[in-house]
Amino acid sequence: MSLPVTDPIPEGDPLTLAPRSRDGLLIFGATIVAIVTFLAVFGPHIGPYNPTLTTPRVAVPPPKFTEIPSTLIGWINGTLPHAPHWMGTDASGYDVFSRVIAAPRTDLTIALAANALSLTIGVFLGLIAGYFRNWGTEVLMRVSDVMQSFPVFISAMVLVALAGRSTTNIIIALAFVYVPIYVRLTRAEVLSQTSRGFVEAARALGQPEIKIALRHVLPNSMTPALIQSSVTIGFAILLTAGLSFVGAGVRPPTPEWGLMISTGAGAIILGEWWPSVFPGIAISLTVFGFAVLGNALERRYEAAQ
Amino acid sequence: MLLRSISRRLLIGLIQLLGLTIAVFFLIRLLPADPVSRLVGMNASEQAYAQAQAQLGLDKPVLEQLALYLGLMPGTQPGLLQGSLGISWVTNSPVTSEIAAYLPVTLELITLAFLLAFVVAVPVGMLSALNPGGRADKGVFVYSLFAGSQPEFWWGLLFVYVFFFQLGVAPAPLGRLSPMTSPPEWVTGFILIDTLIAGQPAKFVEALHHLMMPVFTLGFVLSGPIIKMVRQNMVRALQSDFVLYANCVGLPRKRVARYALRAAMAPSMTLIGILYGFMLSGAVLVESVFSLGGIGQYAIRSVLAFDYPAIQGVVLVITAISLLVYLALDLIHAAIDPRIAH
């Protein structure tokens, strides 16, 4: 579930929470993020089947636990008629495993691009709104308020459905939803930075305002937004999957986790669990990994402050 | 004093809503979608196309369309100022009454889910705050991070598989009552209340049975952020001076914990409000897994059919409710913690 809530209160007490256990979480999160990134690059090529081509075998269940060793041996010896379907096949005959590992290319690309876009725009606007305080930036903040009060899921759905279900449009829709968060975060940080001595010092040296804002304030104010990125990427994956689930996301047969869950949803009442359970586990772990990584980084940053 | 600040907030809220209405109005018309061809089909004749376009009012200049929608043109159809959200292009019935029919479903679902999440989160969050950094605290921390980052629609499906298909203890995910049961007379739209008003306890139990899994699914994902928030505020309250003082005076531990809880609940209200507003549309995926027919599913239907008046209506109503909830919770906040009012 993608909650648009960034902690209003920074997580406290870095003293009482032992740093070692946080490092364990950091490693866990980083590992998951590394695996997903690896799959985003190589996933579509390393699966046993082409993720966008059907096989003649429809709704084959995955091998049972007891069958796994014999299947594995048969596969290695080459005695099987075809490569095993480790996660079964869905109602159209797609190999679920190949699609689950190919999907990060779709999901992560959308999430990373949407995050990069909203981060760039949001940080830039936040810098302007925090550094130059006048009626113009006041209007900017009010507009950002109204944007933030849009119902997130519905506005993303409207944007994608009306503009056309393409990857680019999904990226733009998600970026639109996440920009206000970055504006707010950066502006708050800029406000706290400008009250420090170095801005005064730069001004005393006669540097132009634009240069102070870009050279001195910006690099010092970006950390919260960068840390938020990890959380945003995770939630963007959730939102992408949710959009596909209701039919306002990528088009079939694109390998995408939410779409796979949606395709398998009808069959789950009949007991065919594998087409939707495996992609769900993938989303669940991926988003959790990003959330854990973001949280660990946030704590490190706060402890360092 | 209080009255003045409430009316001020309401006024600002109205201006925001007006801005939002206009923004949404132009936004959906800027997007490259063609609702007319969606209605009449790709192969319709030019004449049929033009006729449909005129019927929807899309042949008029955009500003005139906006004025019509807002109800600024007396003598024509009623608009927003007259309390009408327009006529749905798909069903030809007033959007206002359609939303009134769908909205209670969602409100009932998310209110119950919040209650469930709260009943779980308050004791768990308190326990983990009593010993920050302890083993229980770490476990709770990981749980809340996990629950808060889950695809709830997938968990819904998983619960359907386990509790309906495997164990047979839950009903099929086909709505608020079994398809064979006739719904109770529509009074409030909240099915648990309506069945009681109609004096049908059997249907009440059935509705409760059908609501069980969706409420559990949403309550699970909601419990994550709520536990985290209760824990944080509780830790902060326990470290504050008044708790130190209460301990020094020698008040019993239970009573000190109760005071601290009260101080911790007050700031939690803001986040609860934000979450509630978010859930109005965030419940859409769970609604569609269980076919409950709430406002979110209405939104999906309208968006996929390019039904502009319905889309505008849904966005407007959801935002308006969110703003009202924020206001109400700020008032509760001030009631719990009188310092805020000053």
Side-chain angles (χ1 to χ4, degrees), chain A residues 238-249:
Chain A
L238 274 187
L239 201 51
T240 309
L243 286 174
S244 309
F245 187 74
V246 299

Side-chain angles (χ1 to χ4, degrees), chain A residues 1-5 9 11 13 22 150-151 153 161-162 246 269-271 273 276-277 280 284 287-288 295 299, chain B residues 20 33 141 146 148-150 153-154 161 164-165 225 228 232-233 235-236 271 278-279 281 284-285 300 303 306:
Chain A
M1 182 179 64
S2 52
L3 298 172
V5 180
I9 314 147
E11 288 253 331
D13 50 36
R22 292 296 144 222
F150 274 28
F153 192 82
L162 298 192
V246 299
I269 318 185
L270 310 170
W273 53 272
S276 40
V277 164
S284 173
V287 182
F288 182 49
N295 206 281
R299 274 168 192 272
Chain B
L20 179 104
F141 170 77
F146 180 77
S149 59
Q150 287 305 300
F153 54 102
W154 177 70
Y161 178 72
F164 166 69
F165 181 78
K228 194 172 157 197
Q232 259 173 36
N233 291 336
V235 166
R236 181 154 317 160
L271 184 68
F278 175 73
M279 267 300 139
S281 68
V284 43
L285 295 171
I300 297 178
V303 169
F306 295 179

Side-chain angles (χ1 to χ4, degrees), chain A residues 4 51-52 57-58 86 109 142 154 176 192 197 207 235 287:
Chain A
T52 51
R57 295 167 293 278
V58 169
W86 296 111
T109 307
R142 291 291 85 81
I154 294 183
F176 178 83
S192 89
Q207 297 206 3
F235 285 158
V287 182

Side-chain angles (χ1 to χ4, degrees), chain B residues 145-161:
Chain B
L145 208 56
F146 180 77
S149 59
Q150 287 305 300
E152 72 280 26
F153 54 102
W154 177 70
W155 283 96
L157 284 173
L158 207 60
F159 291 150
V160 168
Y161 178 72

